[in-house]
Amino acid sequence: MCPIPNYQDDIFISYAHVDNQPLAEGLQGWVETLHERLKIRLTQLLGEEVKIWRDRKLQGNDVFADTLDSQIGKVAILVSIISPRYVKSEWCLKELNDFCKLADTSGGLRVGDKMRIFKIVKTHIPLTDHPPQLRGTLGYEFYEYDPERGRAKEFSPEVVPVRDIRYWEKLDDLAYDIKQLVENLIQQPATSAGATTAATTQADAAQANTAQAVAAVPAAESGMTVYLAQATSDVDSERDQIKRDLQQHGHIVLPDRELPLQGAALQEAVGEYLSRSDFSIHLIGEYYGIVPEGESRSIVHLQSEMAAARGDDFPRIVWMPVGLASGDERQQKLIDGLRLGHSTHKGTEVLQTKFEDLKTLVHDQLTKRNKPEPAPALSDAEGGRFSVYLICDRQDMDAVADIESYLFDLGADVILPAMEGDETQVYEDHKANLLECDAVLIYYGQASEIWLRMKQRELQKIAGYGRTKPLLAKGIYAGGPQTAPKERLRDHEAVVMKNYGAFTAESLQPFFEQVQKSKGARAQ
């Protein structure tokens, strides 16, 4: 029995029969394999068997049967497997069109913010060639596309000799999203669901009223709403992992449909989505990506800039793989700008680390924003002692020895950065030091200007790490050798001191005075 009220079958798979033909004798067809695995996975997720049906008999140009026509009207969910043959097949397009028309009499094409159609893209074809009814829906792409070579490679469904994990992740994403829709349909029977006219399935309606479509997104009841920016194909796998983790922990992920490819409509859609989001995540890859009509920026670039324009109160996480570089001048300029902080603000966290570090930071962001702010705690800084986090590069460890000794003699507990351990351990220790210290002093000696700018941005965004209490002082100590960037060095928030020769107590006096001043203000 179909678990969804008022429907005869749960799911109908619409596909071109050529896409189910085995490539070699003894192999199972691609659609047949997907059908079997999807049914098993959905049964596991829902706890009861689902009814999945597809046309196994009719072929090619056979006359469309009345029985098939009537069956489609009794199906709760349509799964369309998009391929070059599918979009050229009158047969397949009629199945899609009839489902959209008949949906008006069986509960509407949408249930809340979810479509009753799931688009599987088996073989790459341009979005403009997708059927009009599906251009506004997010697809499950079972391939990887290389824009430089202009070629796509499909994920392998085989398990011998090895499994292609990308295929199984896409299958699980599809199953999980269908499971959520089935549960919504069970709770909201088709006879009482808000009807959507068949006209709303046409291309014009799909691209129009973007704001109304976005406004239909419900607020998260227990989780948060996260804008997970659309990314280029080389980091799509990582984006899918983040999306999967967020959804499985009860958070709403936007965008929930394809973004428009026309500049004005794209900006309107992104703006609406961002206005409903608690923070955004941007994965930056090697490719620049699609540039919409009427725009000079790619979709990836535009999303990043629009999120930054939300201001310091809107947290934004930007992640780039370690060693990222691009042969596209436009993308390299974007990468450099993000690294140097040209298009960031205090609410932005830019990471160029292992992917696991991004997942950790996202988890921390969600935990922090869901947790009430603790009351500021008193520390030893209100008394005589205080702690200073003395940040320096590895090559300057010897140069800071005199400063370390001087601060210690003044009664400060001096913390130096960790120089051993893996990248994650060093990063976590650095973040903990920023949270726990009373003051921060950056020593700028042999390190590069880029290194200093990264440390300055970290000080600007220290509240984003979860720190609730202001620092007693922020200082930048420019030591030898003397360089032009050091001579130009200015900072509105940190005390800047320059001494290119041997260390003297006088050269550090402005920092110590700021500590004393802040301690005095707290004592009042």
Side-chain angles (χ1 to χ4, degrees), residues 392-401 443-447 451 480-481:
C392 65
D393 191 55
R394 180 186 297 273
Q395 56 192 327
D396 286 320
M397 286 295 288
D398 291 340
V400 301
Y443 183 85
Y444 177 29
Q446 298 289 339
W451 178 88

Side-chain angles (χ1 to χ4, degrees), residues 426-452:
V426 170
Y427 172 75
E428 289 300 322
D429 179 75
H430 173 65
K431 187 166 69 172
N433 291 337
L434 288 174
L435 290 175
E436 296 167 4
C437 70
D438 294 310
V440 172
L441 179 62
I442 299 173
Y443 183 85
Y444 177 29
Q446 298 289 339
S448 68
E449 185 181 9
I450 296 296
W451 178 88
L452 175 65

Side-chain angles (χ1 to χ4, degrees), residues 15-40:
Y15 68 104
H17 285 266
V18 70
D19 292 321
N20 194 42
Q21 292 181 1
L23 294 177
E25 187 176 351
L27 296 179
Q28 193 173 35
W30 195 92
V31 179
E32 180 79 26
T33 300
L34 180 81
H35 184 155
E36 292 180 0
R37 291 170 175 170
L38 182 61
K39 183 174 182 178
I40 293 171

Side-chain angles (χ1 to χ4, degrees), residues 302-358:
L302 185 141
Q303 290 174 104
S304 176
E305 289 196 349
M306 291 188 67
R310 284 285 307 271
D312 293 348
D313 294 334
F314 184 72
R316 184 173 67 128
I317 299 174
V318 178
W319 176 81
M320 296 178 283
V322 175
L324 176 65
S326 176
D328 188 317
E329 184 179 346
R330 299 169 300 174
Q331 184 66 359
Q332 189 60 52
K333 185 177 180 180
L334 173 61
I335 293 168
D336 292 341
L338 290 168
R339 282 175 178 157
L340 298 176
H342 294 163
S343 57
T344 61
H345 53 74
K346 292 183 182 179
T348 300
E349 180 67 31
V350 179
L351 296 179
Q352 192 166 15
T353 60
K354 295 181 296 185
F355 179 62
E356 290 302 316
D357 293 341
L358 169 63

